[in-house]
Amino acid sequence: MGANEESWTVEGNRLSLLRDGPKRLDALIALIDGARTSLRLLFYIFAKDISGRTVRDALARAIGRGVSVMLIIDAFGSEADDAFFAEIIDGGATVCRFHPRFGRRYLLRNHQKLALADEKRVIVGGFNVEDSYFGTAADQAWRDLGLLVKGPAAARLTGYYDALADWTQGRRARSRPLRNALDTWSEPDGPVRWLLGGPARRLSPWARQVKADMRVVDRLDMIAAYFAPNPGMLRRIERIARRGGQARVLTAAKSDNTATIGAARHCYRRLLRRGVRLFEYQPTKLHTKLFVADDIVYIGSANFDMRSLYLNLELMLRIEDATFAAAMRAYFEDELRQSDEVTRAEHRKRGVIERIRWGIAYFVVAVVDYGVTRRLNFGIVAE
């Protein structure tokens, strides 16, 4: 990375922010090209477009150097098939698909994103392998965020990835071993720790921890592209404002899935009444997932909605460090300057029909996959 690199060191880990689409693609290719022994990749979407071919070809080069390559993609989210990956499969790469069976687990999606090289360097965040995640606002690409981690925290993901790969490839993939893996590999303490989300008896490890943090913090700045939590999580946000703290939530004004916008707006009324400030990002489609609570930062794949809190497999890095939190809050302020605040007076002007649409959108987004709801916009207009 160059002279303009935004980096911080926390507990022996070098954290480098990847805020722009082209920079994220460059960093991903550099990570792959720099691998010497192993590559483990995991993405929800892997498209057969220019970016997808660029990443695939970098993996082929790595195999040519003798690097072990494994790729897990979500079968529902990714269009890339075995023919697309034929060269790397023939070269010895393992490519497997997370494919939930019909039944209770049919709606389960592997929403995580990571690229781990040599068990030493990992890139995490909200972005997928698709052209629209590596462009700019001028291209109307997704606004997203990535983080490159170099240090001991990267190595600690290896066991989880391998356990997930074994589970994904198993013929009889039962829920209990998956739940056990989420608990086993989520880290209970430390200033830099991995927290995993997925199907759980109650709350997943990442959701439990963020709930606990919101109980005690005085300041919350949240960027959630998809924002549709349950009433209990909404109350956690409200209580920060009610006890004299500051709670600000930045969501999307534009999306390729307007049902998610309607679902978020369904939550606005009660938050505004209790002093929570709400904003909608204007330049382009928003896909960022960033939560800053006092000196704690969460960054990774999880939205703040029912699917990410209770169902989807998610990967979040929790970093507790005052300097890093201040930097991420400055990032939040930069995004805020490109957003419009939603006032209580303006929100009251919305018509009854529009509110009904928001309520339906909230219900459907809570239980149905984004890929399905993308085709059901309920007449909701993105702004």
Side-chain angles (χ1 to χ4, degrees):
M1 309 197 62
N4 294 324
E5 177 186 22
E6 296 179 273
S7 294
W8 303 263
T9 299
V10 182
E11 202 188 27
N13 297 282
R14 191 67 173 168
L15 311 175
S16 300
L17 198 64
L18 308 172
R19 59 163 79 209
D20 298 317
K23 184 176 181 180
R24 285 193 295 273
L25 182 58
D26 289 346
L28 179 57
I29 298 304
L31 182 90
I32 296 171
D33 285 344
R36 293 295 173 262
T37 58
S38 64
L39 283 164
R40 295 171 171 86
L41 289 86
L42 169 57
F43 287 99
Y44 175 62
I45 295 173
F46 201 117
K48 297 190 294 186
D49 56 13
I50 293 172
S51 297
R53 291 192 294 272
T54 300
V55 175
R56 179 201 60 189
D57 293 348
L59 293 175
R61 292 194 299 272
I63 293 170
R65 298 192 305 272
V67 176
S68 169
V69 172
M70 185 168 201
L71 170 65
I72 304 174
I73 57 177
D74 187 84
F76 191 91
S78 296
E79 63 179 26
D81 53 16
D82 283 351
F84 179 79
F85 292 119
E87 181 182 358
I88 65 171
I89 292 173
D90 291 346
T94 300
V95 177
C96 58
R97 288 170 178 77
F98 184 90
H99 203 316
R101 283 68 170 171
F102 283 95
R104 288 183 302 166
R105 292 191 291 109
Y106 178 65
L107 292 175
L108 177 61
R109 304 288 178 248
N110 195 336
H111 196 243
Q112 301 164 107
K113 295 94 175 174
L114 72 88
L116 174 62
D118 300 333
E119 302 178 19
K120 297 178 180 179
R121 303 175 302 281
V122 66
I123 293 176
V124 297
F127 65 94
N128 294 287
V129 179
E130 188 177 52
D131 287 345
S132 59
Y133 292 92
F134 297 123
T136 65
D139 306 321
Q140 286 299 286
W142 290 104
R143 180 62 169 170
D144 214 322
L145 193 61
L147 189 71
L148 170 62
V149 181
K150 299 179 182 179
R156 299 200 303 268
L157 275 179
T158 305
Y160 168 66
Y161 185 99
D162 292 347
L164 180 63
D166 289 343
W167 188 90
T168 302
Q169 296 176 91
R171 290 188 176 182
R172 299 184 65 187
R174 300 181 182 275
S175 297
R176 181 175 293 176
L178 180 59
R179 291 197 300 268
N180 290 342
L182 299 179
D183 287 330
T184 298
W185 296 103
S186 290
E187 299 176 327
D189 50 43
V192 178
R193 49 178 157 142
W194 300 104
L195 294 167
L196 303 166
R201 294 293 184 190
R202 296 183 179 177
L203 282 178
S204 66
W206 101 261
R208 286 199 307 267
Q209 186 60 58
V210 78
K211 179 180 178 181
D213 287 337
M214 286 195 298
R215 186 181 297 122
V216 297
V217 300
D218 295 318
R219 186 175 182 183
L220 174 68
D221 290 321
M222 174 185 296
I223 304 179
Y226 298 164
F227 180 81
N230 65 350
M233 284 297 190
L234 287 172
R235 282 195 294 272
R236 294 290 180 197
I237 299 173
E238 294 164 6
R239 286 171 182 167
I240 295 172
R242 291 178 67 181
R243 62 176 177 256
Q246 176 177 268
R248 299 183 295 180
V249 178
L250 173 57
T251 66
K254 299 177 181 179
S255 179
D256 68 343
N257 184 353
T258 54
T260 61
I261 294 176
R265 290 174 179 168
H266 176 73
C267 302
Y268 286 0
R269 184 180 179 186
R270 60 175 294 170
L271 293 174
L272 289 167
R273 275 196 322 230
R274 290 163 176 80
V276 178
R277 296 181 66 188
L278 303 172
F279 304 82
E280 292 185 342
Y281 187 74
Q282 298 299 317
T284 188
K285 301 173 295 183
L286 183 68
H287 202 256
T288 307
K289 304 96 167 59
L290 175 69
F291 315 138
V292 187
D294 286 355
D295 290 339
I296 301 164
V297 176
Y298 286 85
I299 185 168
S301 68
N303 295 295
F304 205 73
D305 63 359
M306 296 284 280
R307 291 193 63 86
S308 287
L309 289 165
Y310 291 98
L311 185 58
N312 286 344
L313 292 184
E314 304 286 2
L315 174 67
M316 297 295 281
L317 183 60
R318 182 186 185 273
I319 304 146
E320 189 167 2
D321 180 82
T323 300
F324 186 69
M328 293 302 94
R329 191 159 274 119
Y331 176 92
F332 180 89
E333 296 291 347
D334 287 343
E335 301 298 89
L336 218 59
R337 283 189 277 273
Q338 302 178 76
S339 307
D340 288 346
E341 185 163 8
V342 179
T343 67
R344 192 174 176 186
E346 289 171 347
H347 193 65
R348 283 173 175 167
K349 296 177 184 178
R350 303 292 189 172
V352 174
I353 298 301
E354 198 165 10
R355 293 180 186 277
I356 291 172
R357 287 172 175 163
W358 294 344
I360 295 171
Y362 176 86
F363 173 77
V364 175
V365 165
V367 297
V368 180
D369 187 85
Y370 304 134
V372 177
T373 59
R374 187 174 289 117
R375 297 188 288 273
L376 304 171
N377 64 20
F378 308 102
I380 296 167
V381 179
E383 297 174 356

